[in-house]
Amino acid sequence: MAREQLGVLNALDVAKTQWYHFTAIVIAGMGFFTDAYDLFCISLVTKLLGRIYYTDYDKDKPGTLPPNVAAAVNGVALCGTLAGQLFFGWLGDKLGRKKVYGITLILMVVCSLASGLSFGGTPEGTIATLCFFRFWLGFGIGGDYPLSATIMSEYANKKTRGAFIAAVFAMQGFGILAGGIVGLIVSSAFDHRFKTPPYSDSRRASLAPQADYIWRIILMFGALPAALTYYWRMKMPETARYTALVAKNAKQAAADMSKVLHVDLEAEEAKVRKLATEQSNSFGLFSKEFAKRHGLHLVGTTTTWFLLDIAFYSQNLFQKDIFSAINWIPKAAEMNAIHEVYRIARAQTLIALCSTVPGYWFTVFLIDYMGRFAIQLMGFFFMTVFMFALAIPYHHWTLKPNRIGFVVIYSLTFFFANFGPNATTFVVPAEIFPARLRSTCHGISAAAGKAGAIVGAFGFLYAAQSQDKTKTDAGYPPGIGVKNSLIALGVINFFGMLFTLLVPESKGKSLEELTGENEENDAETQDAGTARTVPV
């Protein structure tokens, strides 16, 4: 039997959308803007790093990063993110969301600047220094995932909670877009100032000494939005759900939310003390009680995020095929080093504008009407369909007259990833777990996703290599080929559909209804925890 909801929490659940909601979206969203910028801007400059540090002027092609170095440069931030999601997710439940929130930003500011200042006496030394700071940058980024999602879910009203959390996550799209725009501006300015010939015309002259500044400026720019957000994050009060349900301080929760909502709220200290003694509000993460109530839910959120990120991050592998198919990027030898950065940035900007950003915002506008379950299932379904549509007639798509069709279908897989599981896997773990474990469980789910990203970004980097050893990229062994890799990704998306069945629908319910924290009868709460997870 449900007991009467705490007044302060009920006030949050039924509050009309007002200015503080949008303030919270911007403050949390700017963190995600910075996260996406920092994670994805490295793809703009990896080819430039190869030219600067690994070019052999006796060869016909400019230098590229060796496979192990490319894996380290691209992947070390993902490893740091995974570690940060677990650590800061746990810390957010122990110390409070607000106390930890500032630490992640400080890490991101310091490590963004330090990444751009990476120096060394040898190419290996510079790359090693860069990787060191990129790891700790990723560690700070990892903390932003569980903390931003949890804070937004605990601030939002139940009617539009999904849209608010999805809007925070959608700032990723603008971060990716900003990375492309900053890359365009910086490379264009240098390209106009320092005129150099293509590599095929003059090998040494094609690399202007000033090109070394470009990658440093692009990486360091990520410190700016994080630094601008710090003051506002520190002004945010702790969420009432943490203060009341975890810290057991009813007076502080009422005082904080009275200021935010501009209403007078009563401090219900007796009710908070009674809630604290209930068995339903005391079990831990590794208890049998948690396994009964939320075990399948955690399996669902971790596996779907893991499977999604394998597919989502491995899609980046095929961008080089897309770019060359429609002549966005000529062969490396036909460009100078700076102009190559410009062409890559232009391509990333166009993809972000046409498919990445729109997909995120379709989710924001429709999630509280369609529901999380329907959007996630639909997204995985269409990703499966489009992967098989690319894979089965793969030879057909490689023919010149059909390449535009390949680009369209490829873009649709990005669109339905974002108008689908890429957004919902972030939203749901912030809603369905108890307040005292919410940040931890979101961190575990997000870390499973980053494990999938590592598999996708590097396992498939090798897998997608040609089966013919004479056609593989320099330094790579033969793989299973692009066609078989696409088939494997289609199968992975299909399994994402199946594991979505374990994830409950949370549309229109208060957080306490979903978690059973407001239940008086333990037996009924157990029933609620093991209830049917698919919407009826």
Side-chain angles (χ1 to χ4, degrees), residues 65-79 131 457-458 461-462 476:
L65 294 177
N68 60 330
V69 176
V73 168
N74 285 295
V76 71
L78 295 177
C79 297
C131 288
F458 306 112
L461 188 62
Y462 287 87
Y476 288 90

Side-chain angles (χ1 to χ4, degrees), residues 2 18 21 30 122 150 168 218 232 295 314 352 360 380 387 404 413 419 432 441 443 462:
Q18 52 193 278
H21 287 120
M30 283 306 292
T122 62
T150 301
V168 170
I218 291 172
W232 298 106
S314 62
Y360 281 119
F380 271 127
M387 284 292 183
I404 297 300
T413 62
F419 180 34
I432 63 174
C441 290
Y462 287 87

Side-chain angles (χ1 to χ4, degrees), residues 264-472:
D264 290 326
L265 294 169
E266 183 186 348
E268 301 167 291
E269 295 184 40
K271 197 180 282 189
V272 166
R273 281 197 298 271
K274 188 174 182 186
L275 273 172
T277 62
E278 291 287 336
Q279 186 186 345
S280 60
N281 293 322
S282 59
F283 59 83
L285 179 65
F286 299 105
S287 65
K288 287 183 180 179
E289 194 67 21
F290 179 87
K292 275 184 190 176
R293 296 167 187 254
H294 301 292
L296 284 178
H297 297 163
L298 188 58
V299 170
T301 58
T302 52
T303 51
T304 51
W305 208 335
F306 174 78
L307 293 167
L308 162 79
D309 273 10
I310 293 177
F312 186 72
Y313 278 81
S314 62
Q315 281 178 307
N316 294 322
L317 296 176
F318 309 114
Q319 285 194 13
K320 63 181 186 297
D321 301 312
I322 301 299
F323 297 160
S324 59
I326 54 177
N327 296 316
W328 282 354
I329 299 181
K331 292 179 181 177
E334 296 172 9
M335 298 178 284
N336 65 51
I338 297 173
H339 191 67
E340 186 175 36
V341 177
Y342 172 82
R343 298 298 286 262
I344 292 168
R346 188 176 73 170
Q348 180 170 308
T349 303
L350 286 170
I351 281 197
L353 270 175
C354 295
S355 61
T356 306
V357 172
Y360 281 119
W361 288 96
F362 264 74
T363 303
V364 173
F365 292 126
L366 293 174
I367 191 168
D368 287 312
Y369 296 98
M370 292 178 62
R372 290 75 162 145
F373 180 85
I375 288 178
Q376 184 161 312
L377 199 66
M378 175 195 71
F380 271 127
F381 172 77
F382 281 113
M383 288 172 73
T384 305
V385 168
F386 290 130
M387 284 292 183
F388 284 131
L390 290 174
I392 294 168
Y394 182 70
H395 177 69
H396 167 82
W397 297 120
T398 61
L399 302 176
K400 197 168 185 179
N402 306 320
R403 286 178 175 176
I404 297 300
F406 183 83
V407 173
V408 171
I409 295 177
Y410 172 79
S411 296
L412 284 169
T413 62
F414 265 110
F415 176 81
F416 280 104
N418 293 317
F419 180 34
N422 194 36
T424 55
T425 52
F426 176 81
V427 172
V428 175
E431 299 180 306
I432 63 174
F433 298 108
R436 67 189 177 282
L437 301 171
R438 187 170 290 135
S439 179
T440 302
C441 290
H442 194 286
I444 292 169
S445 303
K450 278 298 165 282
I454 292 165
V455 172
F458 306 112
F460 278 85
L461 188 62
Y462 287 87
Q465 296 297 319
S466 172
Q467 293 171 304
D468 181 352
K469 64 172 66 176
T470 63
K471 296 180 181 178
T472 60

Side-chain angles (χ1 to χ4, degrees), residues 181-225:
I181 291 170
V182 170
L184 276 173
I185 293 169
V186 174
S187 59
S188 181
F190 275 77
D191 203 17
H192 282 87
R193 176 67 179 83
F194 306 104
K195 299 288 186 182
T196 54
Y199 185 85
S200 55
D201 291 354
S202 178
R203 296 179 184 180
R204 290 186 182 277
S206 70
L207 178 63
Q210 294 82 1
D212 190 56
Y213 294 119
I214 293 175
W215 69 269
R216 298 179 186 278
I217 292 170
I218 291 172
L219 295 187
M220 291 170 74
F221 185 84
L224 185 61

Side-chain angles (χ1 to χ4, degrees), residues 142-163:
D144 237 34
Y145 276 73
L147 294 170
S148 290
T150 301
I151 285 171
M152 198 64 245
S153 73
E154 294 181 345
Y155 263 107
N157 61 54
K158 63 183 179 182
K159 185 179 177 183
T160 56
R161 186 179 59 238

